[in-house]
Amino acid sequence: MDTKVKQEIENETDTKQLGIHSLESLGPYILEQDNAKNFVYVSDIPQLCKDEPCMLGVDEAGRGPVLGPMVYGIAFCPLSKKDILKQLGFADSKQLTEEKRDEIFDAMNRKDYAVEALGWAVEAISPNVISMSMLRRTKHSLNEVSMDSAIGLINAAIEAGVNIAEVYVDTVGPPEKYQAKLKAIFPKFKITVAKKADSTYPIVSAASIAAKVTRDHALKVWKFRERPNEADNTFGSGYPGDPTTKQFLGDIDLVFGFPRLVRFSWSTAGKALEKKAYDMEFEEEEDIKGNQKATYGSEKLSKYFSASKNENRKRYEYFRDRCLEHVAEI
């Protein structure tokens, strides 16, 4: 991975120390985060997970939607306690109702038998970071973003003291290549990468539920920096086929496009912008240097985005109100 890309993505990650010990505490925790950045949460680590060899599962939620974060999750428990996974009722999260997923998530954080033997962690990858990664000059694909998150969460578990012996991963791309990549990074672990692993391995299902419930509640508590008066969830599920999502994507700022909830690197968002938004041209640095004089009676767009060398002025209210930030490099 490109070092510069890695550093910039890491700078977008904000790890908080507040606790999530029930479904009820999940929403307030997410609300504390900056939804323009990634955040990582690692649960309390059971002592058994440090003392005994553990299995660890990896899965994601929200890879396909045009709105909201993609969330990667891991779950881990001792090999000797795998019956706990069945007891909690883990199954493919996509086959469970939202109410059932919430119920299982709450149980895995409240029940003594679960808390004593099962841990989990998530990374919520903001739509802002996803879009910037995919549209930058040095492209960073969604698969690469996904793999980086999975690897980062496994490393977070290692750093927290989890005694990992086996790793099970729901694949991104060809399973053989992904498995070889992980094996090269973690040679001491038994690693299995498979399609639809969440329906085959209960520990991956546990990771899937942690990821899916986190994403669901991230959407429920989403606060628009750009639209402070926006009503709660006027955007639907985030999938392009959802009529509410389609209607939401039709509400475009003609200059600045969508709020940060939208993954503007998605073709669905791009096509919506092409239909309604103004075409914009941004000057290259070479063009600015070679053409310093503006046409008589006109002003350069770049004037409003940068101060002169000896000037330390406040940013225009228009840009402050819309939470626009200066981008030095793309």
Side-chain angles (χ1 to χ4, degrees):
M1 179 180 178
D2 183 86
T3 303
K4 186 175 181 181
V5 174
K6 184 176 181 180
Q7 287 176 343
E8 291 186 8
I9 297 299
E10 285 176 350
N11 289 340
E12 290 289 333
T13 300
D14 185 17
T15 305
K16 301 288 186 179
Q17 299 302 317
L18 301 176
I20 299 172
H21 301 291
S22 65
L23 179 68
E24 186 180 2
S25 60
L26 177 61
Y29 174 86
I30 296 173
L31 196 56
E32 291 279 331
Q33 317 306 312
D34 181 349
N35 60 28
K37 299 180 180 180
N38 297 359
F39 75 81
V40 174
Y41 178 81
V42 181
S43 74
D44 295 336
I45 309 298
Q47 189 60 43
L48 276 177
C49 292
K50 297 180 180 181
D51 297 339
E52 297 186 18
C54 291
M55 64 177 75
L56 180 146
V58 183
D59 200 5
E60 54 76 26
R63 181 179 172 84
V66 67
L67 305 180
M70 176 172 69
V71 179
Y72 254 80
I74 63 171
F76 43 87
C77 77
L79 296 171
S80 64
K81 297 291 184 179
K82 60 184 180 181
D83 287 346
I84 287 175
L85 302 174
K86 293 181 181 179
Q87 188 175 351
L88 284 165
F90 288 118
D92 181 357
S93 67
K94 300 177 186 67
Q95 303 302 318
L96 301 173
T97 64
E98 181 179 348
E99 292 75 16
K100 186 61 177 178
R101 289 194 299 268
D102 284 353
E103 180 184 318
I104 294 174
F105 181 86
D106 195 53
M108 65 190 278
N109 286 282
R110 282 183 183 271
K111 300 290 186 182
D112 289 342
Y113 69 86
V115 174
E116 290 171 1
L118 178 66
W120 58 278
V122 291
E123 179 178 24
I125 306 167
S126 83
N128 193 52
V129 171
I130 292 171
S131 297
M132 289 194 299
S133 297
M134 295 177 68
L135 294 178
R136 63 189 310 123
R137 286 179 179 172
T138 306
K139 304 296 184 187
H140 200 57
S141 71
L142 189 63
N143 279 2
E144 290 173 306
V145 172
S146 299
M147 291 177 184
D148 287 348
S149 181
I151 292 165
L153 287 173
I154 294 171
N155 277 322
I158 294 170
E159 291 171 7
V162 180
N163 183 6
I164 301 171
E166 300 176 5
V167 176
Y168 299 89
V169 184
D170 193 52
T171 194
V172 172
E176 300 79 10
K177 289 185 178 180
Y178 194 6
Q179 184 166 311
K181 178 184 179 77
L182 292 176
K183 192 66 180 176
I185 298 171
F186 306 108
K188 294 182 180 180
F189 304 155
K190 175 187 173 183
I191 295 177
T192 302
V193 178
K195 295 179 180 179
K196 298 183 178 179
D198 53 345
S199 60
T200 306
Y201 304 101
I203 193 65
V204 179
S205 175
S208 178
I209 285 176
K212 180 64 174 170
V213 173
T214 299
R215 175 178 154 81
D216 288 347
H217 285 261
L219 291 176
K220 286 180 179 179
V221 301
W222 187 275
K223 294 297 180 185
F224 289 90
R225 296 171 62 188
E226 309 89 345
R227 304 175 182 178
N229 297 321
E230 184 84 20
D232 292 341
N233 197 345
T234 57
F235 45 80
S237 66
Y239 286 92
D242 184 334
T244 306
T245 298
K246 283 184 179 180
Q247 184 177 351
F248 178 82
L249 291 174
D251 184 12
I252 297 172
D253 185 299
L254 298 182
V255 176
F256 297 105
F258 296 114
R260 290 185 176 187
L261 174 70
V262 179
R263 302 178 191 177
F264 49 86
S265 55
W266 257 232
S267 61
T268 306
K271 289 175 182 176
L273 289 173
E274 287 174 5
K275 288 180 180 179
K276 287 191 173 183
Y278 297 139
D279 289 332
M280 301 292 291
E281 290 186 12
F282 293 90
E283 299 167 320
E284 294 287 345
E285 186 176 350
E286 291 79 9
D287 296 335
I288 295 172
K289 289 180 180 178
N291 187 24
Q292 291 294 328
K293 292 184 178 180
T295 305
Y296 179 75
S298 66
E299 294 179 331
K300 282 186 167 291
L301 179 65
S302 54
K303 170 185 175 182
Y304 297 96
F305 288 91
S306 60
S308 64
K309 291 182 180 178
N310 298 320
E311 188 178 0
N312 185 23
R313 66 173 180 237
K314 290 184 178 180
R315 298 169 67 235
Y316 282 87
E317 183 179 354
Y318 184 85
F319 301 113
R320 293 201 308 272
D321 289 347
R322 287 160 178 77
C323 304
L324 297 172
E325 299 173 3
H326 175 68
V327 179
E329 252 183 71
I330 297 179

